[in-house]
Amino acid sequence: MMLMVQDLRVTFPLDGKTGLRAVDGVSFDLAPGASLGIVGETGAGKTTIARALLGLHPPGCVQGSIRLDGRELVGLSEEAWRAIRWRRIALVPQSVGTALDPVYRVGDQIAEPLRYHLGLSPAEAWDRSLELARRVGLEPRHLRAYPHQLSGGEKQRALLAMALSCAPDILVLDEPTSGQDMLSRARLLDLLDALCREGGMGLLVISHDLAAVARLTERVAVLYAGQLVEVGPTAEVFQDPRHPYTWGLLHAYPDMSTARDLRGIRGAPPDPANPPPGCRFHPRCTQAIDRCRREEPPLREIGGRWIACHLGGLQTLLRAEGLRKTFFVDGGEPEERVEAVREATLDIREGEVVALVGETGSGKTTLGQMLVGLLPPNGGRVVLEGRELTAAKGKERRAMMSRIQLIPQDPFDAVSPRLTVAEMVREPLDIQAIGTPEEREAKVRQALQTVGLPTSSDFLARRAHELSGGQLQRVVLARALVLEPKLIVADEPVSMLDPSEQARVINLLKEIQTERGLALLLISHDLALVRKIADRILVMHRGQIVEEGPGNRIVTRPEHEHTRVLLEAAPRLG
Amino acid sequence: MRRLGGEVWFGLILLALCSAVAVLAPVLAPYDPRAFSGQPLERPSRAHPLGTNDVGQDILSELIYGARVSLTVALAAGAGTVLLGLLVGGMAGYAGGWLDQALMRLVDGMLSLPRLPLLILFATFLGSGLPQTIAVISFLFWPTTARVVRAQVQSVRQRGYVRMARQFGASHPYVFLRHILPAIGPLIAYGLVTSAGHAVAMEAGLAFLGLGDPLVKSWGLMMRFALNLPGLFLTDRWLWWLLPPALCVTLLILALALMGIGLEQNLNPRLARRWR
Amino acid sequence: MGVGRRAFVYLLTFWVILTLNFLLPRLLPGDPLAALLDPSSSDYVYDPQVRAALAAYYGLDRPLPEQYGRYLLGILTGDLGRSIRLNRPVAELVVGHLPWTLLLVGTALLFSSALALLAGTESAWRRGSWADRGLVSASILLANVPVYFAGMMLLLLFGARLRWLPLAGGRTPFARYPSALAAALDIGRHLILPALTLTLAMLGAKFLLVRNATVNVLGEDFMLVARAKGLPEGRLKWGHALRNALLPFVAHLAAHAGMAVTGAVFIETLFSYPGMGRLIFESVTARDYPVIQGAFLVVSAVVLTANFLADIINLHLDPRLREGGAVG
């Protein structure tokens, strides 16, 4: 093992006693010729790690261990570091525009480490820098130029040539693609890719550019608030993120192959001077439990992946196995039965938006009703948060059912025409006997505010017929929210609304889902609509789930015949 | 407002002390500084704590009244400098374009001239009254302030809220008074203090060189008379005649400079970190 | 801006000075030049020979444009008028005094610059340390103490109290030197105190400038990269940090030259040093207008030349100021 970083902690002194811990207990290693990406948001501590590897932090700030071929680097004197820097570990810095000394020729700056580290004469060093320049695609005239005469891309190449000058064992690239336009970025990635293949050199890519990391590295480590939350092979991590943060990060990253709207991770990264106790991600995590608030999760290996999560990564919220439902035609023969749902198996993870798409009569509504427990299945089982819903009885069943809420297709059918708005929304609380009347009142108002409805006493006293379809659907949504469910199953929630109201309600649904960290199962016949918000799409046809996959894949490369039919049928303008 | 540093307090206290002496001069001074209250060149005594000068005037009284001269110059020349600098710098920064270019060339030219010889030339021909001295100092020192004011005005003018105000239809005077002036307010205070310091040094220097108002006994003029005495340094007479006015001038300049540094740090927190 | 354009700007500035020098006495109420020839004035020149020379030189009875033409022509041929007090050509007096000032100012500029660059860089390198804080405080003090005050103190200490060094003059009066070395030693001994005073007077401001410029450079990204490259400390400190801090330093040399001249006037007066400052002082006392004007012109020309040289040096130091944009 060439580079071994163990429990690296970097603390910067602030005013007073407390320090700012920018990197807190990070461990990773890098074999000769291997490549590792470190991804994370701005302020996660990426650059701090890069600088620590070159010993650029003030003495005393860095704790833990950085071993290079077994030799401990932390605590080395400035003099000893000098021998490591550039010869063993070299850096391509992030700030391309200001990283070159404005008063020296570019070539002299490339030659500078050659002269000091390898003891070359000025002429030899210049010849070597010419050779380096050729490797990165610069011409001799670029070496004779001063930094201000080069473009950003040329400076980036010059910095790369400079980093390669002493043939380092490890090359650290700090945001190699930031500030570059897409074309020069693509050329740079080609160049870096080629250089790395030439062999021998360990590569550490630090970036928030996930595509660049995917292109350049074999393994990736995800950094959040100074701590690693997930480490694994790059392709696998990006394909199948396990940590809730990785999952959110990937969903926030724009990608040409996605049709879905971008979604952010709710909340904001913590203040590094004052991180939350327990797991640092818990305030933003949709599946946080009490333990996450108290204990810091260690990074441990779960199925070939290193994950720092008490729950072992993203949780399956609801799992349905082999659900069956058969309806018998009234008074008919046993042959005249309708197999509405046949052997349906699916799962929904925490905070995920899953769309169940199919045409009318495909059984999707029946499946939805079985999932929420409104309809008993003929076979199979539904497991919610590890407990079997289909087998639960009495109080336990009531409590479990309050975790899932259904938004039905027809809001007029879903509410009693005799109840006022306040009574409608309060009904679940009354049924479950939660809280005092005042608390219920407060919850009702809060839920109505969340869905963007007025809370005036006049409005609260209205009845269903006095509301528009959109308003009523919001009331139903508010009613679903008062029980603070983990999963909302929305069955064609907007099909009865006019188009502009449709868009508003869908956006509202998505917004509430993100902010509250709910999972959402959206049942719809309309692929055009669901692909805007769905992370995953299930296609149902004649009672069976015929295709399942990430939203973008389903929309761009459908595999099942019927999916193609549905796509063809999706509305198009012009 | 950041916490004031020790140096600023030191400056403020010195300045307050000097102002008190200037205001209370008639009460504090034992004699009329122009009266021949003793024998020429008396040594310090109970009657004349700092002795007398070559014509028998009380040196302590001269020193006390001298504070008035220095502070007058500080106030008047400081204000004159800042006013001129504000006018030219504000105009250049706000108007931009050719006017800015022309005014800044003028500033560059004036800054590249040797100031004292120019000052001497002006003082020689304009006469050596106190008002002339103040006018000449103001006239020669405004370019520094103008340059700083221009830079600040230029940066404020580029701000979104100023451009928005213009879009709302605000007039130039409105924008200048409502947005620009408050933004350069702290700069004006800083300019005033530093210019005042330069003015005190220059006035004393001119008087020292014989270009001061011969009728206004300033600290500079006291030094000149003391130095004119042949063999001043051969006895210890310089100790009570030359040293006190020189010390007073130096302390006043230092007080103003320290306040300037404090104000500068308030203006620019990044600078504060540089100093500490 | 190229060298040619800069030279033009300086020539233009010098022309403005020339014109100012011409107009100032002539446009003022009471016309101080006419007073020299007016028997009823207190400034009346009694020596008929000098009076005739002055009348011829100023040509006050001729129209203003002709006076201006003759004035410019005179300057071009090195004719700066005639001293009333000494009855000698001003140009001759300048030639006698200018070398002393150049020696004094040059020595002080050299020493103060070298010291400021060394100490300023070191202080910035160790910013926040006790040595740095001490130097900064001392420099603030030094930069604000009037030069005549500092001069007096040095004069008293080394000249009058300790009697180590001569009190006044540029060399021992009426001395005959057996060798050039002896002459140089004598001149050097007389130079020490005035040059020390002027060095100290400039050191404060220069030190603060270098230190703050270097602190700014140390925060630049390329300094971090230079460190990451594993360069030795000397190369970082002098090759990169100081090398970049030199740019603002040289840019301020112009202002420092003016400052040095101001200081020289006071110091020469104080130490009776036979330079231009002393000449100006004596002429001011005697209201010897031609000398004041001539000295002013010469000093201005010297300072402007110094500025011009500083500009050219900076052009060589900073590639960004040079003509020619991107390559290729």
Side-chain angles (χ1 to χ4, degrees):
Chain A
M1 201 54 70
M2 186 164 50
L3 180 72
M4 261 178 85
V5 176
Q6 283 285 316
D7 194 27
L8 178 69
R9 278 163 289 134
V10 185
T11 317
F12 298 116
L14 284 179
D15 291 342
K17 305 174 284 289
T18 55
L20 187 152
R21 173 132 329 159
V23 173
D24 194 6
V26 164
S27 306
F28 58 87
D29 42 48
L30 191 64
S35 56
L36 173 70
I38 295 182
V39 298
E41 288 165 288
T42 309
K46 302 189 299 281
T47 298
T48 307
I49 293 179
R51 291 186 182 174
L53 293 181
L54 283 128
L56 295 174
H57 292 301
C61 288
V62 179
Q63 277 126 29
S65 158
I66 302 172
R67 280 171 185 279
L68 184 66
D69 289 335
R71 182 178 174 212
E72 179 59 57
L73 302 186
V74 172
L76 282 189
S77 68
E78 188 74 8
E79 199 53 52
W81 264 114
R82 236 165 246 150
I84 307 280
R85 291 175 190 155
W86 235 246
R87 288 211 65 173
R88 305 295 315 273
I89 306 176
L91 169 78
V92 177
Q94 177 180 358
S95 45
V96 173
T98 50
L100 290 164
D101 191 325
V103 302
Y104 292 115
R105 284 171 201 281
V106 172
D108 287 330
Q109 295 189 56
I110 296 175
E112 201 178 20
L114 291 166
R115 300 192 48 201
Y116 283 99
H117 286 294
L118 307 181
L120 300 188
S121 72
E124 288 169 326
W126 185 268
D127 286 345
R128 277 286 293 278
S129 38
L130 277 175
E131 193 183 307
L132 288 161
R134 242 194 314 279
R135 270 178 76 192
V136 300
L138 286 179
E139 290 168 33
R141 67 187 164 92
H142 290 124
L143 295 195
R144 285 192 301 270
Y146 287 95
H148 72 278
Q149 295 168 316
L150 298 189
S151 71
E154 288 162 349
K155 274 185 215 168
Q156 176 74 274
R157 277 156 198 268
L159 286 168
L160 189 59
M162 196 157 89
L164 294 171
S165 60
C166 295
D169 299 308
I170 295 167
L171 180 63
V172 181
L173 298 172
D174 191 0
E175 300 285 3
T177 54
S178 72
Q180 308 247 328
D181 65 78
M182 279 300 156
L183 276 178
S184 47
R185 176 177 170 281
R187 280 199 292 266
L188 181 74
L189 287 179
D190 286 342
L191 174 67
L192 287 172
D193 210 18
L195 285 171
C196 298
R197 273 179 225 284
E198 281 173 25
M201 192 169 59
L203 185 67
L204 191 68
V205 183
I206 287 174
S207 184
H208 60 252
D209 181 349
L210 303 183
V213 169
R215 172 83 189 273
L216 295 173
T217 61
E218 298 149 6
R219 287 196 314 137
V220 69
V222 182
L223 192 66
Y224 181 78
Q227 295 180 327
L228 292 183
V229 295
E230 182 162 2
V231 183
T234 308
E236 285 175 34
V237 170
F238 285 0
Q239 193 67 50
D240 174 28
R242 295 270 186 79
H243 192 278
Y245 175 67
T246 316
W247 193 82
L249 189 66
L250 284 163
H251 280 80
Y253 189 75
D255 174 351
M256 271 310 281
S257 57
T258 317
R260 180 176 42 76
D261 285 346
L262 282 182
R263 63 184 278 177
I265 306 169
R266 64 172 174 169
D271 169 13
N274 196 11
C279 173
R280 296 208 173 160
F281 188 61
H282 84 254
R284 305 175 75 184
C285 187
T286 57
Q287 60 181 37
I289 56 173
D290 234 25
R291 192 173 165 208
C292 304
R293 283 176 260 280
R294 282 182 282 107
E295 266 178 64
E296 245 178 56
L299 192 66
R300 59 202 164 107
E301 192 175 3
I302 304 166
R305 190 82 61 84
W306 290 80
I307 294 163
C309 180
H310 288 308
L311 299 164
L314 271 176
Q315 289 293 293
T316 299
L317 182 65
L318 178 123
R319 181 167 178 80
E321 288 168 9
L323 282 187
R324 271 190 295 114
K325 187 70 191 179
T326 311
F327 293 113
F328 295 93
V329 178
D330 261 357
E333 295 297 307
E335 290 78 34
E336 290 183 87
R337 58 185 185 179
V338 179
E339 288 193 56
V341 176
R342 291 187 282 179
E343 298 290 332
T345 295
L346 63 92
D347 49 38
I348 298 169
R349 292 199 288 199
E350 290 269 358
E352 195 180 22
V353 179
V354 178
L356 183 62
V357 182
E359 60 199 330
T360 315
S362 59
K364 54 189 193 314
T365 298
T366 310
L367 179 56
Q369 295 198 331
M370 285 192 288
L371 291 180
V372 300
L374 282 180
L375 203 62
N378 297 115
R381 58 195 199 124
V382 176
V383 180
L384 177 73
E385 292 176 311
R387 283 178 298 173
E388 197 175 331
L389 178 68
T390 34
K393 297 263 184 301
K395 201 172 174 185
E396 188 192 3
R397 186 180 160 82
R398 266 222 316 267
M400 283 171 76
M401 279 179 70
S402 75
R403 305 283 282 167
I404 314 176
Q405 289 296 321
L406 181 77
I407 312 283
Q409 181 171 3
D410 182 356
F412 291 98
D413 180 51
V415 296
S416 161
R418 277 170 294 281
L419 297 186
T420 63
V421 168
E423 286 165 339
M424 287 179 225
V425 178
R426 205 179 59 226
E427 196 181 9
L429 294 172
D430 292 340
I431 291 171
Q432 298 255 351
I434 295 170
T436 63
E438 291 77 29
E439 282 166 3
R440 289 180 201 171
E441 193 73 14
K443 279 200 164 192
V444 166
R445 283 172 190 275
Q446 199 201 330
L448 286 171
Q449 264 164 13
T450 307
V451 300
L453 286 176
T455 51
S456 60
S457 46
D458 162 58
F459 185 83
L460 288 175
R462 287 198 202 169
R463 288 169 210 279
H465 63 90
E466 294 171 285
L467 302 175
S468 72
Q471 279 178 325
L472 201 58
Q473 193 60 298
R474 283 166 203 253
V475 170
V476 173
L477 185 56
R479 184 178 64 175
L481 290 176
V482 291
L483 287 175
E484 290 167 12
K486 287 296 286 180
L487 170 67
I488 287 184
V489 177
D491 187 0
E492 301 278 11
V494 295
S495 60
M496 310 272 281
L497 308 177
D498 61 56
S500 77
E501 192 66 21
Q502 277 191 7
R504 274 201 291 271
V505 171
I506 279 290
N507 283 338
L508 175 67
L509 210 53
K510 174 66 196 151
E511 204 175 285
I512 290 169
Q513 182 269 331
T514 304
E515 278 315 304
R516 298 211 163 186
L518 310 171
L520 177 65
L521 178 69
L522 187 60
I523 299 173
S524 176
H525 65 276
D526 188 351
L527 255 177
L529 180 78
V530 301
R531 69 169 198 168
K532 298 299 271 184
I533 65 168
D535 301 317
R536 214 146 48 85
I537 295 178
L538 312 178
V539 180
M540 211 169 171
H541 181 54
R542 291 191 183 155
Q544 278 184 310
I545 293 173
V546 294
E547 185 166 359
E548 173 187 354
N552 57 322
R553 210 270 294 146
I554 297 282
V555 173
T556 52
R557 295 188 305 280
E559 280 164 13
H560 193 272
E561 174 78 20
H562 187 70
T563 312
R564 266 177 237 137
V565 174
L566 282 177
L567 271 174
E568 287 291 307
R572 251 173 256 271
L573 296 175
Chain B
M1 193 81 170
R2 280 165 15 87
R3 199 173 54 83
L4 292 176
E7 68 274 72
V8 184
W9 280 114
F10 184 70
L12 267 173
I13 290 168
L14 272 183
L15 192 66
L17 213 65
C18 190
S19 310
V21 168
V23 170
L24 299 176
V27 185
L28 292 173
Y31 305 95
D32 180 338
R34 274 163 298 194
F36 306 105
S37 50
Q39 296 300 309
L41 298 179
E42 271 188 48
R43 300 178 65 84
S45 63
R46 194 170 287 268
H48 301 281
L50 291 176
T52 56
N53 65 12
D54 52 346
V55 290
Q57 291 160 330
D58 181 56
I59 292 177
L60 180 65
S61 304
E62 282 187 316
L63 199 65
I64 289 170
Y65 275 91
R68 293 188 153 188
V69 184
S70 282
L71 279 180
T72 309
V73 172
L75 213 64
T81 305
V82 167
L83 225 60
L84 271 170
L86 196 63
L87 201 71
V88 177
M91 232 152 62
Y94 192 74
W98 65 267
L99 186 63
D100 178 33
Q101 287 295 313
L103 289 174
M104 280 305 110
R105 282 287 87 76
L106 180 69
V107 166
D108 284 344
M110 289 200 61
L111 282 176
S112 65
L113 291 179
R115 267 192 201 150
L116 188 68
L118 198 59
L119 202 60
I120 291 172
L121 189 75
F122 272 100
T124 306
F125 288 120
L126 283 176
S128 42
L130 200 58
Q132 283 97 317
T133 303
I134 290 168
V136 169
I137 291 175
S138 308
F139 183 70
L140 285 180
F141 278 86
W142 64 264
T144 326
T145 312
R147 184 176 267 187
V148 187
V149 167
R150 170 185 172 260
Q152 181 71 10
V153 169
Q154 235 175 9
S155 95
V156 174
R157 199 174 59 115
Q158 290 307 316
R159 300 276 169 79
Y161 60 85
V162 173
R163 285 188 300 190
M164 293 302 283
R166 287 289 299 155
Q167 277 211 308
F168 300 149
S171 65
H172 286 296
Y174 171 87
V175 168
F176 198 85
L177 289 177
R178 187 85 181 80
H179 291 301
I180 308 253
L181 210 57
I184 55 178
L187 208 61
I188 295 174
Y190 168 70
L192 198 63
V193 172
T194 48
S195 307
H198 290 147
V200 170
M202 273 301 138
E203 185 276 330
L206 282 179
F208 175 83
L209 291 175
L211 284 166
D213 193 335
L215 300 176
V216 179
K217 204 62 164 286
S218 72
W219 290 335
L221 202 61
M222 288 173 72
M223 288 190 273
R224 177 177 166 81
F225 281 131
L227 281 167
N228 267 354
L229 186 74
L232 174 76
F233 290 120
L234 300 179
T235 65
D236 53 5
R237 188 155 283 132
W238 60 271
L239 205 61
W240 58 81
W241 194 3
L242 179 61
L243 194 61
L247 212 58
C248 283
V249 172
T250 305
L251 283 178
L252 181 55
I253 292 169
L254 257 178
L256 290 166
L258 289 177
M259 284 177 62
I261 288 168
L263 285 169
E264 197 180 2
Q265 287 168 357
N266 265 318
L267 282 177
N268 186 352
R270 202 170 70 92
L271 201 68
R273 242 180 297 131
R274 286 200 323 206
W275 291 107
R276 281 165 212 286
Chain C
M1 204 156 46
V3 177
R5 179 117 187 258
R6 275 162 216 265
F8 175 73
V9 169
Y10 280 114
L11 282 177
L12 198 71
T13 311
F14 190 59
W15 172 73
V16 171
I17 290 173
L18 280 177
T19 309
L20 193 70
N21 191 39
F22 170 80
L23 288 178
L24 204 57
R26 285 173 174 83
L27 293 188
L28 284 176
D31 196 341
L33 297 183
L36 298 174
L37 310 175
D38 177 5
S40 67
S41 153
S42 58
D43 281 347
Y44 181 62
V45 178
Y46 290 99
D47 188 331
Q49 195 194 343
V50 176
R51 205 165 56 234
L54 284 173
Y57 180 70
Y58 288 120
L60 293 177
D61 48 345
R62 294 162 205 274
L64 211 56
E66 195 190 328
Q67 289 182 37
Y68 187 54
R70 287 163 60 98
Y71 163 78
L72 286 183
L73 206 69
I75 303 283
L76 281 177
T77 54
D79 181 6
L80 297 172
R82 202 168 180 85
S83 162
I84 302 167
R85 180 171 59 103
L86 300 168
N87 193 12
R88 284 168 62 193
V90 173
E92 204 181 295
L93 289 170
V94 166
V95 168
H97 285 87
L98 188 60
W100 293 102
T101 298
L102 290 181
L103 178 67
L104 172 62
V105 169
T107 310
L109 269 178
L110 197 72
F111 278 100
S112 61
S113 297
L115 268 173
L117 287 172
L118 281 173
T121 309
E122 280 292 346
S123 197
W125 194 258
R126 279 164 239 263
R127 60 197 175 284
S129 69
W130 282 108
D132 173 46
R133 285 173 205 215
L135 279 175
V136 167
S137 302
S139 298
I140 290 174
L141 197 72
L142 213 51
N144 288 294
V145 167
V147 54
Y148 39 85
F149 183 73
M152 268 178 229
M153 294 298 108
L154 285 173
L155 189 70
L156 284 167
L157 185 64
F158 291 102
R161 291 282 112 174
L162 302 173
R163 297 178 186 273
W164 287 350
L165 293 164
L167 275 175
R171 53 185 200 167
T172 310
F174 315 114
R176 288 179 175 279
Y177 301 114
S179 68
L181 183 70
L185 277 177
D186 187 48
I187 289 172
R189 261 168 49 81
H190 282 85
L191 180 63
I192 292 175
L193 270 188
L196 180 64
T197 310
L198 193 51
T199 301
L200 285 178
M202 286 191 286
L203 192 56
K206 276 175 184 271
F207 168 85
L208 291 174
L209 174 70
V210 174
R211 180 197 173 270
N212 291 339
T214 310
V215 166
N216 281 343
V217 173
L218 289 178
E220 294 279 354
D221 290 322
F222 62 78
M223 284 310 296
L224 189 82
V225 173
R227 251 185 91 209
K229 279 158 90 174
L231 302 179
E233 185 178 304
R235 175 72 188 156
L236 294 177
K237 205 193 289 177
W238 310 113
H240 288 282
L242 176 61
R243 177 63 180 74
N244 277 280
L246 266 184
L247 306 178
F249 178 77
V250 174
H252 277 79
L253 270 184
H256 291 158
M259 211 167 90
V261 168
T262 301
V265 172
F266 288 118
I267 288 167
E268 289 177 5
T269 304
L270 199 61
F271 289 92
S272 306
Y273 202 74
M276 294 296 288
R278 179 80 192 164
L279 180 66
I280 292 173
F281 172 71
E282 284 169 354
S283 310
V284 164
T285 313
R287 299 273 179 243
D288 195 347
Y289 297 126
V291 180
I292 298 175
Q293 283 187 286
F296 168 69
L297 280 185
V298 171
V299 168
S300 299
V302 169
V303 169
L304 284 178
T305 310
N307 288 358
F308 181 56
L309 287 178
D311 272 6
I312 291 185
I313 294 174
N314 227 11
L315 217 53
H316 279 275
L317 287 178
D318 190 347
R320 284 164 295 188
L321 296 178
R322 273 175 242 163
E323 233 111 17
V327 282

